[in-house]
Amino acid sequence: MRRTPRIATLALATLLAGMLVALGCSSRKQVTTAETTPPPAPPTETETAPPPPSAPPPSETTTEPQASALQDAFFDFDAADLRADAKSALENNGKYLERAGSASVVIEGHCDERGSVEYNLALGERRARAAKDFLVSYGIPATRLTTISYGKERPFDAGHDESAWAKNRRAHFVSK
Amino acid sequence: MRIGVKASGTLKSPLLLARFRAGPGAEGDARAAHDVVRHDFDLSGVFAVSDTEPLTEKLTPNPAAQGSVRVEGMVEVAGAGLQFTGEALDIGTAESVFKRTYPATRSDLRRAMHRFNDDVIEALTGERGIAETRIAFVRQSGRLKEVWIADYDGENARQLTHDSTIALSPAWAPWGSEIAFTTFKRGNPDLYLFDLGRGASYPFSTRPGLNTAPCYSPDGKWIACTLSRDGNAEIYLVSRDAQTARRLTRNQRIDSSPSFSPTGNQIAFTSDRSGSPQVYVMDVEGSNQRLLTLEGRYNDSPQWSPKGDRIVYASRHDAVFDVIVMDANGQNSVQVTFQAGHNENPRWSADGRKIYFSSSRSGRRQLYLMNPDGSDVVQLTKGGESFNPAAGPRARKRTQAAGPG
Amino acid sequence: MLRRAALPALALAMAMALSSCAPGGYYNTSQSALDSLLTSQAQLAKRIDAMERKLDATREGIAATRATNDTRLLEISQHLDVLDGKIDDSGARFKNLSMKLDTVKKQIADSTRAAGARDTTGTLDAEAMYQAAYSDIAAGRYNLARESFQTYLRLYPDSDVADNAQYWIGESYYGTGDFANAIVEFQKVIDKYPKGDKVPAAMFKLGLSQARVKQTAESQKTYRALIQKYPKSPEAALAKERLNPKS
């Protein structure tokens, strides 16, 4: 009989402690989640981080908190070298793709209407490759990036002046 | 580049073309036949044609008119169809140079007249004309680009591919019943072969990256083309059975648009290895690559003439493209188009007497035909937009066992 | 007894709770202490987040720098290729100009020698002769080309395109399938014009010719010598493929 209350006390204490553990932990969790809501804990290579807010593959319309949607990289006439503005566009795309989990994209190489069909297909290929090489160096796995050249066959602007041509000389990103 | 200088290559023979006589019930056919032949002789680049009335009595020799030709013709109803009898006479000697009767139907009278034209040209020059040949080209409607085929003069055009995507760069097999072309129908620029006999195409090279710019070797065993499977556009020889691909160029820049010499031992091509596109030439094994175009900053789309003596290409100068003809050694380049707009995609006719090209001189790109010195420009297509002409060979016979397989 | 026995158990439980979850432990004893702990922990979490963001930005910065640098390296490498291309092209342009210069020199010599009278040998000038012979190669008139190039070499042995002429004599045999004579003539390019720019092409064609007459060992030896002497030439790459054909 004497033992019962002792056991009861022990059980009570344990229960209390357990409740405290649960309470304490849950309260911490609440704090953390409340703090986390703005930007998520950034994913690292090893961590299996929770997927970014919009888990589905990025589309051109989705807006990310930090990296904006995939941007086109533009080129000079008869050139596949990356201009400064092309590099910053690709840097943005690199950030975006890092946060986009394992989403794959197609990089389309395009040219303006000047010159032969065949030469421009090759030039578009170089532009798409230049964009891809940049992103691979940035850290995006090459397996997520495929390239295709449309040469001058799929212009964005059907005009026949420099303003149209400048828009058509691009590496264009399309999510798979 | 001798801008403005017209090559004095073509000396045309005078040709008197008589109004064709007609048998009973064939008056309309005689007029139609005459118009076809008149057009053929005009386009041939060989004759300076003038019209005359048919002979009423035997021709008498006229030594002063040595080298002049007179052509007479007659269309008659024969059985259920027609027959055409044509004759070419040397005005100088009054002798018949060529005479033949061609059976025909009303629907293929045009074809019979093309044959007569080619026969006369062969009889007089030793070298057959091109009126029986066909051309392939790309026609754009909306966003779609399909390969089309037509008679040498743009008549009887019909759509060949129905891929509903982008089809480009048709090239004829030397035996004339097959056309290699690039199509995006599987989403990638792949090379397909269109069998004109079966009316169907099948894949030839679908390697990752570019599969473009096909050109058959003269013996038909190889197709030189551009592949980018190793990173960027390089020229390869792919055997027509598609088993072996031999890489010919290697650098980090563009190599494209190969064109075989008629011997099959050399290949002219475009490369921007020195910063901008220029025409180069190499031995067929890929060795001995050397610059050919010594003038101009932007030279592309070379094609070797059927006799091997000249190379035609497109050059960008003063923000426009024009067609240039030069000797095969890179010397004596002469600009042969001068009209407004861009003049591109030059391709020799099978006899080397003509050059097809596309031009935007009238707005949208259309096909044109001219003499290699730039004279006698004739527009061949109208409506929509047409480019990438490719002239078919003359002989339709298959010369070697290089059939589909 | 009872309290004494219960206390250690309670202490143990408290210790367990504390060790696993510190704020909970304080909850019992002091609400304010817990609050301050929670606050400081939230601040800590904020700081960690900030640091992670910084780290992230740094990592992105490093990635961007790496990508930019790699791109620059690639472009430099491509521009070096362009320079190589320009040098090769200059060679072709130089030979062309040199040939024209020879022609002009000869014309001057002719005119000074015989006051306007043209050279009486009746031969074409050097450039025209060379160009005609070259055109014959392109058009497949190999015998004609060979004779012309041989005459050219007799008349103008010191021409800047003498090595080219010798190469085309080799090619004129190669083109007609006479590989035994092609071997002799391509070898002459290597022996007589060792500093000329036709040597790699001549060595490659020599190797091909040797292979065509079943001199396999000699052919491979030629390819290896070519790869060793001109490792950066396009022909060296072609020779490697001939040595190790892909299955």
Short mmCIF file of all heavy atoms in Angstrom, two decimals, chain B residues 11-44:
data_model
loop_
_atom_site.label_atom_id
_atom_site.label_comp_id
_atom_site.label_asym_id
_atom_site.label_seq_id
_atom_site.Cartn_x
_atom_site.Cartn_y
_atom_site.Cartn_z
N LEU B 11 27.42 33.56 -124.79
CA LEU B 11 27.16 34.08 -126.13
C LEU B 11 26.00 33.27 -126.68
O LEU B 11 26.11 32.08 -126.87
CB LEU B 11 28.40 33.90 -127.01
CG LEU B 11 29.36 35.09 -127.05
CD1 LEU B 11 30.57 34.74 -127.92
CD2 LEU B 11 28.67 36.34 -127.57
N LYS B 12 24.90 33.93 -126.90
CA LYS B 12 23.72 33.18 -127.29
C LYS B 12 23.62 33.04 -128.81
O LYS B 12 23.93 33.97 -129.56
CB LYS B 12 22.47 33.89 -126.79
CG LYS B 12 22.34 33.83 -125.27
CD LYS B 12 21.02 34.44 -124.85
CE LYS B 12 21.01 34.75 -123.39
NZ LYS B 12 19.87 35.60 -123.07
N SER B 13 23.18 31.88 -129.23
CA SER B 13 22.96 31.66 -130.66
C SER B 13 21.58 32.18 -131.03
O SER B 13 20.62 31.94 -130.31
CB SER B 13 23.02 30.16 -130.97
OG SER B 13 24.18 29.61 -130.43
N PRO B 14 21.47 32.83 -132.20
CA PRO B 14 20.15 33.27 -132.65
C PRO B 14 19.28 32.07 -132.99
O PRO B 14 19.77 31.11 -133.60
CB PRO B 14 20.44 34.11 -133.90
CG PRO B 14 21.92 34.27 -133.95
CD PRO B 14 22.54 33.19 -133.13
N LEU B 15 18.02 32.10 -132.58
CA LEU B 15 17.11 31.01 -132.88
C LEU B 15 15.79 31.60 -133.38
O LEU B 15 15.20 32.45 -132.72
CB LEU B 15 16.87 30.13 -131.66
CG LEU B 15 15.99 28.89 -131.87
CD1 LEU B 15 16.52 27.71 -131.06
CD2 LEU B 15 14.53 29.15 -131.52
N LEU B 16 15.40 31.17 -134.57
CA LEU B 16 14.12 31.61 -135.13
C LEU B 16 13.10 30.52 -134.82
O LEU B 16 13.24 29.38 -135.28
CB LEU B 16 14.23 31.78 -136.65
CG LEU B 16 14.80 33.11 -137.17
CD1 LEU B 16 14.91 33.05 -138.69
CD2 LEU B 16 13.91 34.26 -136.74
N LEU B 17 12.11 30.86 -134.04
CA LEU B 17 11.10 29.87 -133.67
C LEU B 17 9.83 30.15 -134.46
O LEU B 17 9.19 31.20 -134.29
CB LEU B 17 10.82 29.93 -132.17
CG LEU B 17 9.75 28.96 -131.66
CD1 LEU B 17 10.15 27.51 -131.92
CD2 LEU B 17 9.49 29.19 -130.17
N ALA B 18 9.49 29.20 -135.34
CA ALA B 18 8.30 29.38 -136.17
C ALA B 18 7.03 29.08 -135.37
O ALA B 18 7.05 28.25 -134.47
CB ALA B 18 8.38 28.45 -137.38
N ARG B 19 5.95 29.79 -135.73
CA ARG B 19 4.64 29.43 -135.18
C ARG B 19 4.37 27.98 -135.56
O ARG B 19 4.68 27.57 -136.69
CB ARG B 19 3.58 30.36 -135.78
CG ARG B 19 2.17 30.09 -135.34
CD ARG B 19 1.23 31.16 -135.89
NE ARG B 19 1.35 31.33 -137.34
CZ ARG B 19 0.79 30.52 -138.26
NH1 ARG B 19 0.04 29.50 -137.88
NH2 ARG B 19 0.96 30.75 -139.54
N PHE B 20 3.90 27.17 -134.60
CA PHE B 20 3.70 25.74 -134.89
C PHE B 20 2.47 25.56 -135.76
O PHE B 20 1.44 26.18 -135.54
CB PHE B 20 3.54 24.94 -133.61
CG PHE B 20 4.84 24.76 -132.84
CD1 PHE B 20 4.84 24.16 -131.59
CD2 PHE B 20 6.07 25.16 -133.38
CE1 PHE B 20 6.03 23.98 -130.88
CE2 PHE B 20 7.25 24.99 -132.69
CZ PHE B 20 7.22 24.40 -131.43
N ARG B 21 2.62 24.68 -136.74
CA ARG B 21 1.46 24.35 -137.56
C ARG B 21 0.58 23.36 -136.80
O ARG B 21 1.06 22.64 -135.93
CB ARG B 21 1.92 23.75 -138.90
CG ARG B 21 2.48 24.82 -139.86
CD ARG B 21 3.14 24.20 -141.06
NE ARG B 21 4.37 23.52 -140.66
CZ ARG B 21 4.87 22.49 -141.32
NH1 ARG B 21 4.24 22.01 -142.38
NH2 ARG B 21 5.99 21.94 -140.92
N ALA B 22 -0.71 23.32 -137.13
CA ALA B 22 -1.63 22.47 -136.40
C ALA B 22 -2.43 21.62 -137.37
O ALA B 22 -2.89 22.11 -138.40
CB ALA B 22 -2.58 23.31 -135.56
N GLY B 23 -2.58 20.34 -137.04
CA GLY B 23 -3.48 19.48 -137.77
C GLY B 23 -4.91 19.81 -137.38
O GLY B 23 -5.13 20.58 -136.44
N PRO B 24 -5.91 19.24 -138.07
CA PRO B 24 -7.30 19.53 -137.74
C PRO B 24 -7.60 19.22 -136.27
O PRO B 24 -7.23 18.15 -135.77
CB PRO B 24 -8.09 18.58 -138.66
CG PRO B 24 -7.13 18.20 -139.74
CD PRO B 24 -5.76 18.28 -139.16
N GLY B 25 -8.19 20.15 -135.59
CA GLY B 25 -8.59 19.94 -134.19
C GLY B 25 -7.46 20.12 -133.20
O GLY B 25 -7.64 19.89 -132.01
N ALA B 26 -6.28 20.53 -133.65
CA ALA B 26 -5.15 20.65 -132.72
C ALA B 26 -4.62 22.08 -132.66
O ALA B 26 -3.50 22.31 -132.21
CB ALA B 26 -4.03 19.68 -133.11
N GLU B 27 -5.44 23.04 -133.08
CA GLU B 27 -4.97 24.43 -133.15
C GLU B 27 -4.57 24.97 -131.77
O GLU B 27 -3.50 25.56 -131.61
CB GLU B 27 -6.05 25.33 -133.76
CG GLU B 27 -6.33 25.10 -135.24
CD GLU B 27 -7.25 23.90 -135.49
OE1 GLU B 27 -7.73 23.29 -134.50
OE2 GLU B 27 -7.47 23.56 -136.67
N GLY B 28 -5.44 24.72 -130.79
CA GLY B 28 -5.14 25.19 -129.44
C GLY B 28 -3.90 24.52 -128.87
O GLY B 28 -3.06 25.15 -128.22
N ASP B 29 -3.77 23.22 -129.13
CA ASP B 29 -2.61 22.48 -128.63
C ASP B 29 -1.32 22.99 -129.25
O ASP B 29 -0.28 23.05 -128.61
CB ASP B 29 -2.79 20.99 -128.93
CG ASP B 29 -4.07 20.44 -128.30
OD1 ASP B 29 -4.27 20.69 -127.10
OD2 ASP B 29 -4.85 19.79 -129.01
N ALA B 30 -1.40 23.35 -130.53
CA ALA B 30 -0.20 23.85 -131.22
C ALA B 30 0.26 25.16 -130.58
O ALA B 30 1.46 25.37 -130.37
CB ALA B 30 -0.50 24.06 -132.71
N ARG B 31 -0.73 26.02 -130.27
CA ARG B 31 -0.36 27.28 -129.61
C ARG B 31 0.25 27.02 -128.24
O ARG B 31 1.27 27.59 -127.87
CB ARG B 31 -1.59 28.19 -129.48
CG ARG B 31 -1.84 29.08 -130.69
CD ARG B 31 -2.86 30.16 -130.37
NE ARG B 31 -4.15 29.62 -129.98
CZ ARG B 31 -5.12 29.25 -130.85
NH1 ARG B 31 -4.91 29.37 -132.14
NH2 ARG B 31 -6.26 28.76 -130.40
N ALA B 32 -0.36 26.09 -127.48
CA ALA B 32 0.15 25.77 -126.13
C ALA B 32 1.56 25.20 -126.21
O ALA B 32 2.46 25.59 -125.46
CB ALA B 32 -0.80 24.78 -125.44
N ALA B 33 1.76 24.29 -127.17
CA ALA B 33 3.08 23.65 -127.33
C ALA B 33 4.13 24.70 -127.68
O ALA B 33 5.24 24.70 -127.13
CB ALA B 33 3.01 22.57 -128.40
N HIS B 34 3.75 25.59 -128.58
CA HIS B 34 4.67 26.65 -128.99
C HIS B 34 5.08 27.51 -127.79
O HIS B 34 6.25 27.84 -127.62
CB HIS B 34 4.02 27.52 -130.06
CG HIS B 34 4.84 28.71 -130.45
ND1 HIS B 34 4.78 29.90 -129.75
CD2 HIS B 34 5.74 28.89 -131.45
CE1 HIS B 34 5.62 30.76 -130.31
NE2 HIS B 34 6.21 30.17 -131.35
N ASP B 35 4.09 27.86 -126.95
CA ASP B 35 4.40 28.73 -125.81
C ASP B 35 5.35 28.05 -124.82
O ASP B 35 6.23 28.69 -124.26
CB ASP B 35 3.10 29.14 -125.11
CG ASP B 35 2.27 30.09 -125.98
OD1 ASP B 35 2.82 30.57 -127.00
OD2 ASP B 35 1.10 30.34 -125.65
N VAL B 36 5.15 26.74 -124.64
CA VAL B 36 6.03 26.01 -123.72
C VAL B 36 7.46 26.02 -124.26
O VAL B 36 8.42 26.33 -123.55
CB VAL B 36 5.53 24.56 -123.50
CG1 VAL B 36 6.56 23.76 -122.71
CG2 VAL B 36 4.20 24.57 -122.78
N VAL B 37 7.61 25.69 -125.53
CA VAL B 37 8.95 25.62 -126.12
C VAL B 37 9.60 27.00 -126.17
O VAL B 37 10.80 27.16 -125.90
CB VAL B 37 8.89 24.99 -127.53
CG1 VAL B 37 10.18 25.24 -128.29
CG2 VAL B 37 8.65 23.50 -127.42
N ARG B 38 8.78 27.99 -126.48
CA ARG B 38 9.31 29.36 -126.50
C ARG B 38 9.91 29.72 -125.13
O ARG B 38 11.01 30.26 -125.03
CB ARG B 38 8.18 30.32 -126.87
CG ARG B 38 8.45 31.78 -126.57
CD ARG B 38 9.08 32.47 -127.76
NE ARG B 38 9.96 33.54 -127.30
CZ ARG B 38 10.22 34.63 -127.98
NH1 ARG B 38 9.71 34.81 -129.17
NH2 ARG B 38 11.03 35.54 -127.51
N HIS B 39 9.14 29.38 -124.09
CA HIS B 39 9.61 29.66 -122.72
C HIS B 39 10.89 28.88 -122.41
O HIS B 39 11.84 29.40 -121.83
CB HIS B 39 8.49 29.30 -121.74
CG HIS B 39 8.73 29.79 -120.34
ND1 HIS B 39 9.01 31.10 -120.04
CD2 HIS B 39 8.76 29.12 -119.16
CE1 HIS B 39 9.18 31.23 -118.74
NE2 HIS B 39 9.04 30.06 -118.18
N ASP B 40 10.90 27.60 -122.84
CA ASP B 40 12.08 26.76 -122.60
C ASP B 40 13.33 27.32 -123.29
O ASP B 40 14.40 27.41 -122.67
CB ASP B 40 11.83 25.33 -123.11
CG ASP B 40 10.92 24.53 -122.19
OD1 ASP B 40 10.66 25.01 -121.06
OD2 ASP B 40 10.46 23.45 -122.60
N PHE B 41 13.17 27.68 -124.56
CA PHE B 41 14.32 28.22 -125.28
C PHE B 41 14.80 29.53 -124.64
O PHE B 41 15.99 29.78 -124.53
CB PHE B 41 13.97 28.46 -126.76
CG PHE B 41 13.96 27.21 -127.59
CD1 PHE B 41 13.03 27.03 -128.60
CD2 PHE B 41 14.89 26.20 -127.37
CE1 PHE B 41 13.02 25.88 -129.38
CE2 PHE B 41 14.88 25.04 -128.14
CZ PHE B 41 13.94 24.88 -129.15
N ASP B 42 13.82 30.33 -124.21
CA ASP B 42 14.18 31.59 -123.53
C ASP B 42 14.98 31.33 -122.27
O ASP B 42 15.97 31.99 -121.99
CB ASP B 42 12.91 32.36 -123.16
CG ASP B 42 12.45 33.28 -124.28
OD1 ASP B 42 13.30 33.60 -125.15
OD2 ASP B 42 11.27 33.65 -124.30
N LEU B 43 14.50 30.34 -121.48
CA LEU B 43 15.15 30.07 -120.19
C LEU B 43 16.47 29.34 -120.35
O LEU B 43 17.27 29.32 -119.42
CB LEU B 43 14.22 29.21 -119.31
CG LEU B 43 13.01 29.89 -118.67
CD1 LEU B 43 12.34 28.92 -117.70
CD2 LEU B 43 13.42 31.16 -117.93
N SER B 44 16.69 28.73 -121.51
CA SER B 44 17.86 27.85 -121.65
C SER B 44 19.18 28.58 -121.45
O SER B 44 20.16 27.98 -121.04
CB SER B 44 17.85 27.19 -123.04
OG SER B 44 18.15 28.18 -124.02
#
